[in-house]
Amino acid sequence: MTFAPTSSRLPDFPWDKLAPFKQKAAAHPDGIVDLSIGSPVDPVPELVKKALADAADAPAYPTTLGTASARQSAVDWLARRADVTGVDPQAGILPVIGTKELIMLLPTLLGIGAGDTVLIPDLAYPTYEAGAALARATSVPVADPTQYEGAVRVAYLNSPRNPSGQITSADELRTAVEWARANEVLLVSDECYLEFGWDAKPVSVLHPEVCGGSFDNLLAVHSLSKRSNLAGYRAGFVAGDEAVVAELLAVRKHAGLMVPAPIQAAMAAAFADDTHVDEQRDRYLRRRTVLRDALTEAGWEITLSNGGLYLWASHPAYDAYESVAALADRGILVAPGAFYGTAGERHVRVALTGTDERIDAAVKRLHE
């Protein structure tokens, strides 16, 4: 059997390059402090676990559209926490199996392909590029999509941004929305860190002051992975332009892309509760403060990191991989900024997703 492997079209999986640095960091007498991946380490909220268990007797297939309770809970959350109103819970929102799945498959599901252009941030999580490649489209990294000259099918925004933590202002979002509508571009805003703004408040692309009360040409993508420590549950949603949501629903039905019913019950419970998110914010803020101060005192510069779960750090003596090596010598593993585009070649991304004990260990080593 012969075939053209799809993987040959995709970029290299970058974290494979970290193996030797991980081995070096793991040799530290007090063990590794792994801050290279933004994977939650804190407990799943009890109310979410209970909702999951209570819905465990689910023998029937779930629907691709999702349960009314999960959709309504997400719509209510948008209104309560993001000041986004007017999302129709029946037609304007769709649960997804984690938002990485959605972003990876979005160009393919919407019929974007060879000859089409997808704009991605110049500093970006690799899935935007990989999703375009899977669809055989061309991805172009840009600092500002509105300055791009040429035909575009999809443009991605990410605020607060992974890896840098940069927050896009309401004025910048409004300009992007106007550009997208004028040029018939689908603007997809990845907002999974929306509740983690530190030095500024993140704004959704669906906010009425940004979109003018219309969701035309707009999608917002939200996840429970970070806000509720549910990366292991794979639960999120996409909302916005009802025509685009309807097309995604129609194609996803055929593919059987359905969020399991117990996960949807957990999703409804998580979006209905703000207390656990506020508690998690406090955890991350404390980790951010002590880690930022320790890095700064050790000669590192922190830039752009006014939101999200990462510190974007650089050192005058090192490029990205030299920075990774220098920190690995201290038993601290971070991600090189080069993973996220050429704009990151002198930076590293330092995740806040370590336990308090491991964060404190990193702080101690940086002070030493």
Side-chain angles (χ1 to χ4, degrees):
M1 179 180 179
T2 60
F3 58 92
T6 301
S7 61
S8 66
R9 302 202 304 271
L10 304 181
D12 293 336
F13 191 68
W15 277 269
D16 293 343
K17 298 178 183 178
L18 275 185
F21 301 102
K22 186 173 184 177
Q23 184 176 10
K24 179 186 288 188
H28 190 280
D30 186 38
I32 189 172
V33 178
D34 192 345
L35 305 179
S36 65
I37 300 177
S39 184
V41 297
D42 298 302
V44 172
E46 289 297 328
L47 65 93
V48 175
K49 292 192 288 186
K50 183 178 186 305
L52 180 77
D54 289 347
D57 186 14
Y61 287 112
T63 62
T64 305
L65 178 62
T67 64
S69 60
R71 286 182 276 112
Q72 187 64 58
S73 183
V75 167
D76 292 343
W77 171 80
L78 279 171
R80 189 175 68 251
R81 299 286 271 194
D83 297 320
V84 170
T85 57
V87 176
D88 184 340
Q90 184 66 27
I93 190 166
L94 194 63
V96 296
I97 312 165
T99 53
K100 182 173 182 176
E101 168 262 306
L102 176 79
I103 289 168
M104 183 69 178
L105 296 181
L106 185 72
T108 299
L109 295 176
L110 293 179
I112 293 164
D116 292 328
T117 297
V118 175
L119 300 185
I120 65 176
D122 60 342
L123 278 172
Y125 188 67
T127 307
Y128 306 120
E129 178 188 0
L134 181 67
R136 300 182 185 273
T138 300
S139 62
V140 180
V142 293
D144 180 357
T146 68
Q147 299 304 304
Y148 182 80
E149 296 182 1
V152 177
R153 294 291 303 278
V154 172
Y156 285 104
L157 300 176
N158 179 207
S159 175
R161 192 187 295 194
N162 177 6
S164 68
Q166 184 176 8
I167 292 175
T168 306
S169 71
D171 286 342
E172 291 168 324
L173 287 173
R174 192 179 303 110
T175 299
V177 169
E178 292 169 355
W179 166 83
R181 289 174 177 163
N183 292 278
E184 284 301 311
V185 175
L186 177 64
L187 189 64
V188 182
S189 182
D190 184 352
E191 301 174 354
C192 71
Y193 301 99
L194 190 76
E195 292 186 283
F196 298 122
W198 310 118
D199 302 323
K201 181 176 174 57
V203 181
S204 173
V205 76
L206 303 183
H207 192 288
E209 293 183 4
V210 171
C211 70
S214 167
F215 301 148
D216 291 350
N217 297 77
L218 306 177
L219 290 180
V221 180
H222 288 277
S223 169
L224 285 165
S225 295
K226 313 301 185 184
R227 74 178 293 278
S228 300
N229 300 329
L230 296 186
Y233 280 43
R234 313 311 303 133
F237 70 84
V238 59
D241 190 313
E242 292 183 5
V244 180
V245 172
E247 179 65 11
L248 290 172
L249 174 61
V251 180
R252 291 170 70 87
K253 283 180 179 178
H254 285 283
L257 292 171
M258 304 172 287
V259 179
I263 298 295
Q264 291 193 57
M267 178 177 172
F271 276 125
D273 180 71
D274 299 331
T275 300
H276 75 276
V277 183
D278 293 338
E279 292 171 352
Q280 191 61 43
R281 272 184 57 88
D282 289 343
R283 293 187 190 106
Y284 283 134
L285 180 57
R286 182 258 175 194
R287 294 166 187 167
R288 176 181 185 268
T289 301
V290 299
L291 197 53
R292 180 194 57 195
D293 291 350
L295 283 164
T296 301
E297 291 169 13
W300 299 79
E301 181 181 5
I302 309 299
T303 54
L304 301 177
S305 304
N306 50 4
L309 300 185
Y310 310 101
L311 293 172
W312 191 234
S314 60
H315 194 287
Y318 310 130
D319 66 15
Y321 279 96
E322 290 168 343
S323 295
V324 173
L327 290 169
D329 285 338
R330 292 161 176 78
I332 303 168
L333 186 66
V334 299
F339 278 7
Y340 308 97
T342 56
E345 290 180 347
R346 295 201 62 84
H347 290 77
V348 291
R349 191 194 74 171
V350 186
L352 305 180
T353 50
T355 64
D356 289 338
E357 184 274 331
R358 287 290 84 188
I359 293 289
D360 289 343
V363 168
K364 179 181 178 182
R365 296 173 196 182
L366 288 164
H367 283 316
E368 291 171 349

